[in-house]
Amino acid sequence: MVRIFVRCVIICGQTCKHVFLRLVEPEKDPDFWKEWAQRTLKNALTLQDLNKNVAKNIILFLGDGMGVPTVTAARILKGQMSGQSGEETQLEMDKFPYVALSKTYNTNAQVPDSAGTATAYLCGVKANEGTVGVSAAAVRSQCNTTQGNEVTSILKWAKDAGKSVGIVTTTRVNHATPSAAYAHCVDRDWYSDGDMPTEALQSGCKDIARQLFENIPDIDVIMGGGRRNMYPRNTPDVEYPGDKKHNGTRKDGRNLVGEWIDRVKDKKSYYAWNRKDLLSLNPNNVDYLLGLFEPADLPYELERNKETDPSLTEMVDVAIKILRKNERGFYLLVEGGRIDHGHHEGKAKQALHEAVEMDRAITRAGLLTSIYDTLTVVTADHSHVFSFGGYTPRGNSIFGLAPTVSDIDQKPFTSILYGNGPGFKLVNSTRENVSTVDYGKYLQADRYLILPRSSYIWDTWNVGIFGILFFLLFYGMLCSC
């Protein structure tokens, strides 16, 4: 019986492998995803009589890691910040008339990452985990699989159509999400050439920071972090000159910021590295803006230095005022990227405040545009192993304890829980008594974990898509993610 069982396992394993290979092979062709998207779009358009006008402007808000549980918790937090119980509050995206769910898997991963998903929703083609702007025929970290497998993003399509285009993020401008808008790279971690293996450089692959300025050299607005990837190695940072960890990282000796400034010097251009400079500009006198406000990612909203670092809302405000001057319209990608980082670190308070700040940015965008010519879509790239429950009463602090104790160890627990991560903690070989935790600080809702890890990992929940107008005309691109 044992031999029969083992043989069956082997046969089933071989069969599953063959089935997987048959499924994956067609997915390496970008046309596979484009044709699937068109079929889905045509079917959706027959379901009801919708506004089928073409949008002049498109704004895509991407909450990195903002799964449905995060949206729900952020909604409650927003209300509680205004003195309400929270559950009845509406986020700006809750007011949008169209809602859908999106599958987030990568072609080689059940649980996706931000690079492969960015390629899906920006280029309309599903891709492998860890790769940006290339099809599934490209293999992560293998430089020689790049050429011939590049896919084009909606930002490039918009630019080719004569529209103004922009990227705003709270992460590095060459991080996974924004990079898929302009780069073709088999490794999301190749931020500068200082992060690349010698073999890849010798084979002709370009780092992502370099591609930002070379692939689509006339991106109208670029704002976020990532200064250190733009300067030669050991160049002191303008804001932190005494801190070597913020020094430039480039091995090729190039100053990409200086090159950008020189290239657009005869145009209405502006470079800003702090909030004061950004808010002092007159958008009517600026056509090209580069804003790099930190050496790496921008700080969390709760930790933001309001003298030097702009908020996401402030960046969105300036971006739209510059881009909307184009009579042909504009495309703007806005990423609330540090929602994801807060969850990775087990800091639910940070993550949820980032989501509330993105909600403010969405509100501001709505005030600066018209629903009659602007399509605004809000979505996420993946979720997290984040949840909350515990039979909490209405109005209970979203960062508070559940009203009862565990019936196993008779200790209290937080209503917010993570399924895995860095905070698994034992005190005298038992779970910590979390009623002694100071919740005035960051809530690290990781006191009750199933699986200890050095950081929290994503999960594969479907994510929400919220559309305000012309939704189905854009859905054809999104459905492949």
Side-chain angles (χ1 to χ4, degrees), residues 299-329:
Y300 289 116
E301 177 63 22
L302 286 178
E303 302 171 3
R304 181 169 62 87
N305 183 330
K306 295 179 174 57
E307 296 296 321
T308 58
D309 294 310
S311 68
L312 181 63
T313 301
E314 290 168 339
M315 291 191 290
V316 167
D317 179 272
V318 174
I320 292 177
K321 287 177 179 177
I322 292 174
L323 298 174
R324 69 181 181 182
K325 294 182 297 180
N326 188 335
E327 294 182 355
R328 293 190 176 185

Side-chain angles (χ1 to χ4, degrees), residues 71-121:
V71 171
T72 306
R75 180 184 302 120
I76 295 173
L77 173 60
K78 178 184 178 181
Q80 292 181 346
M81 291 171 66
S82 301
Q84 304 170 14
S85 66
E87 296 80 5
E88 71 289 346
T89 305
Q90 276 191 313
L91 293 169
E92 195 66 23
M93 70 185 82
D94 292 330
K95 304 173 186 177
F96 288 14
Y98 303 108
V99 179
L101 290 174
S102 176
K103 293 178 288 186
T104 61
Y105 67 93
N106 295 149
T107 48
N108 65 339
Q110 191 175 73
V111 178
D113 87 316
S114 298
T117 50
T119 303
Y121 60 75

Side-chain angles (χ1 to χ4, degrees), residues 233-447:
R233 178 175 287 182
N234 298 325
T235 301
D237 183 73
V238 63
E239 188 174 0
Y240 311 100
D243 194 338
K244 292 184 178 180
K245 72 179 180 182
H246 295 313
N247 287 357
T249 63
R250 301 198 63 80
K251 294 191 296 186
D252 58 11
R254 294 177 63 176
N255 179 339
L256 298 180
V257 173
E259 292 178 15
W260 181 88
I261 293 173
D262 186 63
R263 188 173 69 241
V264 297
K265 64 183 179 181
D266 295 329
K267 302 177 181 179
K268 294 180 179 179
S269 59
Y270 195 89
Y271 171 66
W273 65 266
N274 60 62
R275 179 176 183 265
K276 181 180 178 181
D277 287 349
L278 176 68
L279 298 187
S280 68
L281 67 81
N282 182 347
N284 292 324
N285 297 329
V286 176
D287 293 333
Y288 293 93
L289 171 64
L290 175 61
L292 300 175
F293 304 108
E294 284 289 328
D297 303 319
L298 271 62
Y300 289 116
E301 177 63 22
L302 286 178
E303 302 171 3
R304 181 169 62 87
N305 183 330
K306 295 179 174 57
E307 296 296 321
T308 58
D309 294 310
S311 68
L312 181 63
T313 301
E314 290 168 339
M315 291 191 290
V316 167
D317 179 272
V318 174
I320 292 177
K321 287 177 179 177
I322 292 174
L323 298 174
R324 69 181 181 182
K325 294 182 297 180
N326 188 335
E327 294 182 355
R328 293 190 176 185
F330 67 85
Y331 169 79
L332 176 62
L333 169 64
V334 181
E335 182 198 20
R338 302 226 66 194
I339 300 170
D340 180 60
H341 294 172
H343 282 319
H344 275 302
E345 296 179 10
K347 296 177 179 177
K349 191 169 186 178
Q350 304 293 51
L352 297 184
H353 275 275
E354 291 295 306
V356 172
E357 172 59 24
M358 195 176 85
D359 182 73
R360 295 190 192 101
I362 297 169
T363 301
R364 184 60 184 155
L367 294 174
L368 293 172
T369 56
S370 169
I371 62 172
Y372 297 105
D373 64 5
T374 303
L375 161 65
T376 302
V377 175
V378 182
T379 189
D381 51 356
H382 58 76
S383 187
H384 271 273
V385 286
F386 165 84
S387 65
F388 66 97
Y391 299 111
T392 51
R394 182 172 179 177
N396 193 74
S397 169
I398 194 63
F399 302 125
L401 298 175
T404 59
V405 298
S406 167
D407 59 356
I408 301 297
D409 60 13
Q410 285 72 53
K411 291 182 180 179
F413 58 95
T414 57
S415 60
I416 285 178
L417 301 172
Y418 283 99
N420 56 51
F424 189 86
K425 187 172 183 178
L426 295 178
V427 178
N428 296 325
S429 301
T430 64
R431 188 167 61 87
E432 179 185 18
N433 185 337
V434 291
S435 63
T436 64
V437 174
D438 181 3
Y439 291 105
K441 299 180 180 179
Y442 309 143
L443 177 73
Q444 287 200 216
D446 47 20
R447 308 291 178 173

